[in-house]
Amino acid sequence: MKLNEHTAISTPSLLLVPYEAHHVPTYHQWMEDPQIQEATASEPLTLQEEYENQLSWRTSTDKLTFIICSPLPLPSEHHPPLATNPDTIKTVPQDADTPPKMLGDINLFLYPSEDSSSSSSPAPPIPKEVVGEVDIMIASPEHRGKGLGEKATRAFIGYIWENKEEIMKEYISDKIDDGVDVGEEEVEVPKLTMLMAKVGEGNEQSLRLFGEKLGWEQEGGRNYFGELKFVLRDVGGFVGEKKKKGEEEGGVQVVRYERDVE
């Protein structure tokens, strides 16, 4: 998606930045690890294929992704606060997402809800309801087991919920551009009804993340691919409860992301 092309999400624990071409070599190295391939149900790709994937993810209307990075420095004499009000938001520093600071990625995949169509009729070109699948990877073993997955997922879902209308509008934009006959009435933007995650039954850390730490509900048993499905139906309540409790570390901040074009 292009929605987050110039958007980063900063928290005291981590930084989420849009997936750009300069991230690809490091991402490619991660995906050469057989354990990561197994955990993410991915096939090894060439470096050129990874560059093509990155471009596809930027332009696809059904995928939203961020690279997880180390947090920005805390405010100090040499590192002033990023922003004091919405009109003075500063740009993420150029060195904030260099390879040593990259930790993993987090993604959203959008699908028409099964309720959008029945078995007796074809799915409508623009569904009324959409489901989002969340996928997260912390690449290096040294950064796992420290709560980064939970914090990244909560920040990511907060961003999704706050921008759900824009996400849905971009999701249907290619369907309108492709000449879908939507009639003379204004196109109805789909509703994001549920988030889900599919986790391999042997991936104990992700099972704990979605089941115990995030409290998502397990739906059904092991599927054909050896995965367990976790669902979150009340996304607004999930986000609101976190806000009600307060951010122990200082909150989430949306920051402008720009990179010089060479």
Side-chain angles (χ1 to χ4, degrees):
M1 280 190 164
K2 296 181 179 179
L3 175 68
N4 69 328
E5 186 174 9
H6 298 295
T7 300
I9 302 171
S10 176
T11 83
S13 302
L14 51 86
L15 176 72
L16 303 182
V17 301
Y19 183 30
E20 298 295 329
H22 67 273
H23 298 133
V24 171
T26 300
Y27 186 87
H28 179 62
Q29 291 178 359
W30 293 342
M31 299 310 296
E32 289 184 319
D33 185 333
Q35 291 184 339
I36 291 181
Q37 292 174 15
E38 181 179 0
T40 59
S42 302
E43 295 292 331
L45 300 176
T46 66
L47 180 60
Q48 181 58 38
E49 288 172 330
E50 291 288 13
Y51 275 110
E52 293 170 357
N53 258 6
Q54 182 275 324
L55 181 60
S56 171
W57 280 48
R58 169 58 61 221
T59 57
S60 294
T61 61
D62 58 356
K63 301 180 182 70
L64 177 70
T65 186
F66 284 94
I67 295 293
I68 305 169
C69 298
S70 300
L72 295 174
L74 293 174
S76 67
E77 179 182 355
H78 301 290
H79 298 283
L82 284 170
T84 56
N85 62 66
D87 297 325
T88 59
I89 293 179
K90 296 184 179 180
T91 303
V92 173
Q94 290 285 325
D95 64 348
D97 58 344
T98 54
K101 298 181 180 180
M102 294 170 58
L103 307 178
D105 72 330
I106 188 164
N107 315 289
L108 175 72
F109 306 91
L110 298 173
Y111 309 98
S113 168
E114 294 179 357
D115 296 334
S116 292
S117 63
S118 64
S119 58
S120 60
S121 61
I126 298 180
K128 292 185 178 180
E129 297 181 345
V130 171
V131 172
E133 180 178 348
V134 175
D135 174 76
I136 182 170
M137 173 187 69
I138 302 298
S140 174
E142 67 184 273
H143 293 116
R144 298 173 193 160
K146 297 182 178 180
L148 288 175
E150 179 182 1
K151 291 173 182 177
T153 304
R154 288 189 182 278
F156 186 52
I157 294 174
Y159 176 82
I160 291 170
W161 188 247
E162 293 294 332
N163 295 275
K164 58 185 180 298
E165 290 293 328
E166 289 75 13
I167 290 172
M168 290 297 101
K169 288 177 182 178
E170 184 166 352
Y171 173 69
I172 66 173
S173 63
D174 62 334
K175 299 170 178 58
I176 298 173
D177 292 342
D178 286 343
V180 171
D181 183 7
V182 296
E184 296 182 358
E185 298 182 1
E186 184 178 352
V187 176
E188 182 179 354
V189 177
K191 293 182 179 179
L192 180 64
T193 58
M194 183 179 75
L195 294 178
M196 67 175 178
K198 295 178 181 178
V199 182
E201 60 181 347
N203 191 338
E204 295 182 1
Q205 289 183 322
S206 289
L207 291 174
R208 286 197 298 271
L209 169 62
F210 288 100
E212 298 177 14
K213 296 182 179 180
L214 297 175
W216 293 21
E217 177 186 356
Q218 182 179 331
E219 184 176 84
R222 175 182 179 274
N223 67 12
Y224 176 81
F225 300 101
E227 299 170 323
L228 297 175
K229 181 179 177 181
F230 293 86
V231 299
L232 174 65
R233 291 184 172 84
D234 185 7
V235 183
F238 179 86
V239 174
E241 185 63 26
K242 183 64 177 177
K243 287 183 177 179
K244 187 185 299 182
K245 292 179 180 178
E247 291 286 346
E248 295 180 0
E249 296 182 317
V252 177
Q253 188 176 40
V254 176
V255 185
R256 180 76 177 174
Y257 181 90
E258 291 281 4
R259 287 296 176 266
D260 294 333
V261 178
E262 297 183 359

